Amino acid sequence: MHNIKLVLEYDGARYQGWQRLGKGESANTVANRLLDVIHKMTAEDVELFCGARTEVGVHAYGQVVNFKTTSDMKADEIRQYLNRYLPMDIAVLSAEEMPERFHASLNAKSRSYLYRIAIGAVPSVFNRKYTYYAFRTPDVGVMQQAALLLAGRHDFKHFSTVKKSKSTEKEIYNIDIHGDAEEIQIRIRANDFLHNMPRMIVGTLLDIGLGKRKVECIEAVFSGVEEASAPCDPKGMFLEKVEGYL
């Protein structure tokens, strides 16, 4: 068996996330598009493992995936084949053969998400699909204060829509917020994320920056006294990178 690692980028606008299982199961996912082409290429029904399960409408600059196959195609041949037959909104940036024990999810040490907020005087016609337009400019300084309270190891159960009883404790390594006259960017790097956690954190930070909530609400959400803000619009959210593989 050959263990193949792929790095993908994709426009998530027309997909139901990376994968939709259970009650909301859908065939219109990034994973299913990739599986269809891999089956065409190898005549095998492989199992895909990913670094992060992006939500509905969320994009990726650097999703990491692996699958095992008996095909003897070289990694670069696999990349070329996939890019030939995948939809144009999904691209394989690289492919390489990895040791048998490599696992895109279990071996990842960190995941990073980027959120783009447009604040120009006029909403951009061409960037509208990949940025959230804020009609008022959020206070970056106040958002940075709130971000400091989110950093570190916490129980993020109330900053997610997770329903399983598994551990909800995660560690945020850093949240970087900066901007210029046209755009504010929020980068969140953590060991892992719960369902909708990046979008609910950004939604809460945005409400704080717009004066709708106080910085102190972060602690109140952690304790369950208050609810987190609604998830932010997914069109401005990108899985930027999955890192830390040995």
Side-chain angles (χ1 to χ4, degrees):
M1 296 289 284
H2 302 281
N3 191 7
I4 305 299
K5 171 190 171 186
L6 307 175
V7 178
L8 312 177
E9 69 176 13
Y10 50 82
D11 179 339
R14 71 185 183 102
Y15 298 107
Q16 293 295 302
W18 169 257
Q19 186 178 42
R20 296 282 285 182
L21 302 174
K23 186 177 180 181
E25 185 170 358
S26 171
N28 182 32
T29 63
V30 178
N32 278 347
R33 291 291 181 273
L34 185 56
L35 285 169
D36 287 345
V37 181
I38 292 174
H39 180 79
K40 178 182 176 71
M41 178 179 68
T42 65
E44 296 173 340
D45 292 319
V46 305
E47 187 173 5
L48 280 180
F49 302 98
C50 70
R53 291 187 179 183
T54 51
E55 309 297 345
V56 177
V58 174
H59 317 294
Y61 286 129
Q63 173 71 280
V64 176
V65 176
N66 80 288
F67 67 94
K68 294 183 178 181
T69 177
T70 60
S71 171
D72 288 326
M73 292 177 67
K74 292 181 171 24
D76 199 52
E77 293 173 337
I78 290 173
R79 179 185 60 81
Q80 291 178 28
Y81 187 100
L82 294 176
N83 283 330
R84 179 177 179 182
Y85 290 104
L86 280 168
M88 295 298 289
D89 52 8
I90 304 173
V92 180
L93 301 179
S94 66
E96 61 179 309
E97 185 165 354
M98 301 295 286
E100 181 183 356
R101 295 177 64 85
F102 173 80
H103 192 290
S105 176
L106 299 179
N107 294 152
K109 302 301 181 187
S110 70
R111 288 91 171 158
S112 300
Y113 279 90
L114 165 69
Y115 197 68
R116 299 177 58 196
I117 306 162
I119 55 171
V122 179
S124 170
V125 170
F126 301 107
N127 289 332
R128 73 189 190 282
K129 294 182 179 179
Y130 306 107
T131 56
Y132 167 75
Y133 184 74
F135 287 90
R136 291 191 294 122
T137 301
D139 185 330
V140 171
V142 174
M143 293 167 69
Q144 289 170 335
Q145 292 176 37
L148 291 174
L149 299 176
L150 288 160
R153 183 171 292 276
H154 304 280
D155 185 343
F156 284 93
K157 175 175 60 178
H158 299 296
F159 279 100
S160 76
T161 53
V162 67
K163 295 178 181 177
K164 295 181 181 179
S165 58
K166 66 178 183 179
S167 173
T168 50
E169 187 176 281
K170 303 296 177 186
E171 183 175 1
I172 290 183
Y173 299 131
N174 58 277
I175 301 179
D176 179 46
I177 307 172
H178 68 274
D180 54 28
E182 299 295 325
E183 186 174 311
I184 294 172
Q185 295 188 347
I186 302 174
R187 280 183 171 83
I188 308 174
R189 179 172 169 265
N191 65 338
D192 202 0
F193 291 89
L194 302 169
H195 189 262
N196 270 328
M197 179 176 152
R199 292 178 58 207
M200 292 179 77
I201 286 175
V202 170
T204 304
L205 289 174
L206 264 174
D207 278 352
I208 291 171
L210 293 170
K212 298 178 180 179
R213 305 187 71 164
K214 301 292 187 183
V215 171
E216 293 74 24
C217 79
I218 299 297
E219 296 293 352
V221 174
F222 275 136
S223 64
V225 174
E226 295 183 22
E227 293 185 355
S229 298
C232 63
D233 190 326
K235 67 182 181 182
M237 181 71 76
F238 296 79
L239 173 62
E240 193 167 32
K241 58 183 72 172
V242 182
E243 295 181 297
Y245 296 110
L246 300 176

